[in-house]
Amino acid sequence: MSAGGQALSGLAGAADVAGGAGAGLSVDGVRAAYGRIEVLHGVDLHVPGGSVFALLGPNGAGKSTLLKVINGRLRPTRGAVTVDGVQASPWTPEALARAGVIAIPEGRGVFPNLTVRDNLRMWTYRGGISSAEVEARAYEQFPRLKERRKQLAGTLSGGEQQMLAISRALAGETKLLLLDEISMGLAPIVVGHLYELVAAIAAGGVTVVIVEQFAATALGVADRAGIMLHGRIAHEGSPQEMAAAAETAYL
Ligand code: ATP
């Protein structure tokens, strides 16, 4: 983790915030629906600042929907989301940016028709750091991206696109990073590298929520974990406890 930790020294500001009272993520009594069909039936989740929470669960349990509520893409019908002590729902884009919430969606969050370099430069508005610095941080973590900096992001391999997407969290004052199934379709060695970076980002003070269906690697970097079933967090505990619980709950 040392390389990641050094490269992430720029996230120290986030660490300061994360250490304060009310730091981290709180989800309280959240209910959410698509039309008339409620899919989250009262979710409570508390993730301390600078820690990693792995959210597991079978298809359709509501994991992605919960991330959508947390990052403002779906308005809850009840309940509240709080990031670093600030009530977050419903979000405005400005409030989201101020709060430093970054979501890497299932299927990746890159602009396919822009080059790697231009993707990285897109994100410099966040924390006010220069585009050169954003590029340098990303290339230090992922030399592969440097080799491919002039290539269109849409033509990168799946793993390379995911590296690029996660580099977004290096670009500014990130406080909360939401990752949805980032390992899908990737080779285990690539997944291992991505999660090493995730652990380093969290060590820099960023709160991280990881959603994964098959989660051995995610559990390896998580401080705590939960299992979502039918729109509720049905089990919560240590990664080891949740690995065992997942076996009986749905695997
Ligand atoms: P997976 O692991 O398969 O991605 P998940 O736990 O992330 O599953 P969600 O994607 O949150 O589950 O879906 C929860 C429920 O909400 C499912 O029954 C799904 O069909 C439904 N759902 C999700 N998105 C929509 C939508 N845009 N419109 C209507 N229903 C939806």
Side-chain angles (χ1 to χ4, degrees), residues 30-174:
V30 160
R31 292 176 174 263
Y34 296 103
R36 288 193 191 163
I37 302 176
E38 186 178 86
V39 298
L40 298 182
H41 308 298
V43 175
D44 296 297
L45 175 64
H46 300 276
V47 185
S51 69
V52 179
F53 190 93
L55 184 60
L56 319 180
N59 288 124
K63 305 180 297 295
S64 301
T65 302
L66 179 59
L67 292 193
K68 273 192 219 166
V69 170
I70 295 171
N71 82 3
R73 285 169 50 225
L74 181 66
R75 199 178 175 134
T77 51
R78 292 243 183 114
V81 176
T82 311
V83 177
D84 281 351
V86 177
Q87 170 126 354
S89 49
W91 286 111
T92 60
E94 298 74 32
L96 261 176
R98 243 196 338 269
V101 177
I102 287 185
I104 311 287
E106 211 174 331
R108 295 160 199 131
V110 302
F111 297 101
N113 297 324
L114 295 183
T115 63
V116 167
R117 172 186 273 165
D118 287 343
N119 264 277
L120 292 170
R121 290 180 172 184
M122 286 289 290
W123 300 328
T124 53
Y125 70 92
R126 287 208 143 258
I129 57 173
S130 71
S131 57
E133 175 67 19
V134 173
E135 278 191 76
R137 289 184 188 183
Y139 297 156
E140 182 172 354
Q141 290 300 328
F142 300 113
R144 181 80 68 87
L145 292 182
K146 186 172 187 182
E147 290 167 22
R148 310 219 159 239
R149 62 190 178 279
K150 293 181 186 159
Q151 190 171 324
L152 292 181
T155 65
L156 295 171
S157 75
E160 289 163 352
Q161 287 190 38
Q162 210 57 278
M163 292 172 197
L164 181 57
I166 288 183
S167 295
R168 203 173 147 194
L170 306 172
E173 297 285 310
T174 306

Side-chain angles (χ1 to χ4, degrees), residues 176-246:
L176 176 62
L177 177 62
L178 306 169
L179 302 169
D180 198 349
E181 306 261 2
I182 61 168
S183 70
M184 203 191 298
L186 302 183
I189 192 163
V190 177
V191 176
H193 187 178
L194 289 172
Y195 274 123
E196 261 177 43
L197 178 60
V198 169
I201 288 170
V206 177
T207 309
V208 183
V209 178
I210 300 171
V211 162
E212 287 281 3
Q213 203 177 131
F214 305 105
T217 319
L219 286 173
V221 301
D223 298 294
R224 238 177 129 65
I227 298 176
M228 189 164 226
L229 297 175
H230 309 300
R232 288 193 181 84
I233 296 185
H235 308 277
E236 199 186 321
S238 71
Q240 294 77 10
E241 287 165 346
M242 291 305 102

